[in-house]
Amino acid sequence: MTALHAQTRRGNDTYIFTSESVSEGHPDKVCDQISDAILDAYLREDPKSKVACETLCTKDRVVLSGETSSSRIIDVEPVVREVIKKIGYTNSGKGFDFNCEIQNYLHEQEKELMENTGAGDQGLMFGYACSQSKYLMPIPIEVAHQLLINLAHARKDGSIPGLLPDSKSQVSFVYAGRKPVALNTVVISTNHQPLTDRDFEDLKMNIIEQVVQPTIHSMGEDMLFDVSSPKIMINPLGKWEEGGPAADTGLTGRKIIVDTYGGWAQHGGGAFSGKDATKVDRSATYMARHIAKSVVASSLAEECLIQMSFVIGDTRPVSVMVDSFGSGVIPDSEIEALIKREFDLTVMGIIEYLGLREAIYGPTAAYGHFGFNTKDCSWEGIKKLN
């Protein structure tokens, strides 16, 4: 049932699996954060607002497009500038900062879409959970996110001088069957101020000592895998002085694997950021994650993948599928039947159950929509299932 060769591994078969993350200053993530900040701004004023906001950012410019339906009018320009400033693009002369030009092409939504109470579009959505980490996430993406969160802290508090907001991480684990057993490789590439060769070497060493080693050892203690001898690479191509939107155009929705499970589990293809909860790309994916997490936390399976699909305008999914990869204590078909009994899977039922009309989306737009970064969000809660 799965698309990944790694997900068919059984027994003691050994292989290496890799996930990546990108920082809040990555151009695509800048766009995701702007789109979700605009969504939150509308929901604060009118919880029934419908928003589909797409953002493009490039050198000295942000372009907004999409459609909205709301009883309130929102001045989005201050929202955009505050997001860019908070990320850390505050230095003029670098090609992109919060004083950039903003072009706003958001327009009103079509009337028939405004009145639709079913799915806003057709599509398929996946949710996943597993016992690899205490947050029931695949461990490679968890570590990749945490590395960049800690790198951002070091940038913002000044403990590692010279860092700029744009960065990436890549984490590889050795697996035996479906279980992670050892950390294999850690890569961090980060944008930075112009540096001498000596200062660049100091920067790399500071990242290893203050970010990489503390992160992997603290997570290794929690997860009980071997972190004793990974290969660590910092800016393996050398200095990276030109980065961010000034060097690479960003778009909303281009980091959907970073947003979910790092490639370990399937993705339905729809992006999340900038979309209100009537768009099942977002709400049904959140619900599928909540249900999968509840299945694993209730000890019905060690891992669980759920697929739902919707047709535009329909209030209920046309299909619900469960795959426990052979780890279920009852057959997958019985888990499917249990889910249909225990959860309201209508579009409005999902929205009300998870409280998705609130302005809660900003924190999801960087470092993942699932796991430790959103542990306080409703879909990361657990419903005990018998």
Side-chain angles (χ1 to χ4, degrees):
M1 301 294 294
T2 66
L4 288 175
H5 178 57
Q7 290 189 317
T8 67
R9 305 282 188 136
R10 294 291 188 270
N12 295 318
D13 194 9
T14 300
Y15 56 95
I16 296 173
F17 185 86
T18 302
S19 294
E20 74 159 352
S21 182
V22 297
S23 72
E24 63 207 70
H26 185 282
D28 293 333
K29 280 288 140 195
V30 172
C31 293
D32 286 344
Q33 290 166 93
I34 290 172
S35 293
D36 272 337
I38 291 172
L39 170 61
D40 281 348
Y42 272 97
L43 292 175
R44 286 188 195 98
E45 298 298 322
D46 176 6
K48 293 187 177 181
S49 296
K50 291 189 177 183
V51 178
C53 177
E54 307 282 348
T55 304
L56 176 149
C57 67
T58 188
K59 186 174 182 179
D60 291 325
R61 183 167 301 187
V62 167
V63 181
L64 308 174
S65 63
E67 53 191 21
T68 64
S69 170
S70 179
S71 64
R72 305 298 294 270
I73 297 174
I74 303 298
D75 183 5
V76 298
E77 187 169 310
V79 175
V80 174
R81 298 197 190 282
E82 182 59 29
V83 169
I84 297 170
K85 183 186 295 186
K86 185 178 180 180
I87 291 169
Y89 285 109
T90 58
N91 299 325
S92 61
K94 287 286 186 180
F96 185 81
D97 65 82
F98 65 93
N99 290 313
C100 65
E101 180 183 348
I102 298 173
Q103 296 175 270
N104 183 6
Y105 299 107
L106 290 167
H107 58 85
E108 189 173 356
Q109 191 175 52
E110 295 179 10
K111 188 174 186 296
E112 58 267 25
L113 294 176
M114 293 166 56
E115 296 174 349
N116 176 29
T117 59
D121 200 352
Q122 71 176 47
L124 53 111
M125 306 84 202
F126 287 96
Y128 178 77
C130 64
S131 56
Q132 292 181 30
S133 80
K134 66 181 180 180
Y135 294 108
L136 306 186
M137 286 286 288
I139 195 62
I141 190 66
E142 284 274 276
V143 177
H145 286 326
Q146 190 63 68
L147 285 166
L148 292 187
I149 289 174
N150 292 345
L151 185 68
H153 289 329
R155 169 174 61 86
K156 292 176 180 179
D157 67 19
S159 57
I160 301 181
L163 292 172
L164 291 173
D166 194 359
S167 57
K168 296 182 178 182
S169 65
Q170 187 168 291
V171 175
S172 303
F173 270 83
V174 178
Y175 278 77
R178 304 285 293 165
K179 304 293 185 182
V181 295
L183 178 60
N184 179 269
T185 306
V186 171
V187 182
I188 290 180
S189 295
T190 184
N191 189 207
H192 56 80
Q193 300 280 6
L195 299 172
T196 65
D197 291 346
R198 175 63 181 273
D199 288 341
F200 179 57
E201 293 303 316
D202 289 344
L203 176 75
K204 293 195 292 183
M205 186 54 63
N206 286 334
I207 292 172
I208 292 172
E209 293 178 352
Q210 297 183 44
V211 175
V212 177
Q213 290 177 344
T215 301
I216 63 177
H217 284 290
S218 64
M219 297 191 80
E221 291 173 359
D222 289 339
M223 313 306 178
L224 301 177
F225 49 74
D226 180 12
V227 298
S228 59
S229 56
K231 183 178 181 180
I232 300 173
M233 292 181 282
I234 309 297
N235 281 43
L237 193 59
K239 296 178 183 179
W240 180 13
E241 297 178 353
E242 302 296 329
D248 185 14
T249 297
L251 290 169
T252 298
R254 283 205 300 196
K255 289 294 178 284
I256 57 177
I257 299 303
V258 172
D259 287 342
T260 51
Y261 308 104
W264 180 261
Q266 287 107 310
H267 192 295
F272 306 144
S273 291
K275 297 178 180 178
D276 73 88
T278 62
K279 284 72 172 175
V280 285
D281 281 341
R282 187 168 213 165
S283 54
T285 300
Y286 286 4
M287 188 65 167
R289 161 67 176 168
H290 170 67
I291 295 171
K293 194 173 180 182
S294 297
V295 169
V296 174
S298 300
S299 300
L300 295 178
E302 290 188 13
E303 60 179 317
C304 180
L305 179 77
I306 294 175
Q307 186 206 55
M308 292 193 284
S309 64
F310 283 82
V311 173
I312 187 169
D314 278 7
T315 60
R316 296 179 179 275
V318 295
S319 67
V320 178
M321 182 278 293
V322 171
D323 188 353
S324 67
F325 306 95
S327 69
V329 298
I330 59 176
D332 291 348
S333 59
E334 292 186 24
I335 298 176
E336 289 175 15
L338 176 63
I339 289 168
K340 292 174 181 178
R341 290 197 304 270
E342 292 289 330
F343 296 95
D344 182 352
L345 299 181
T346 63
V347 177
M348 289 299 117
I350 290 171
I351 291 172
E352 294 303 320
Y353 175 75
L354 295 179
L356 298 181
R357 293 195 188 278
E358 303 295 321
I360 55 175
Y361 298 104
T364 70
Y367 310 118
H369 291 246
F370 312 121
F372 67 86
N373 185 51
T374 54
K375 63 182 183 299
D376 297 323
C377 292
S378 59
W379 54 91
E380 287 299 306
I382 291 166
K383 180 175 181 179
K384 201 67 177 176
L385 302 173
N386 295 318

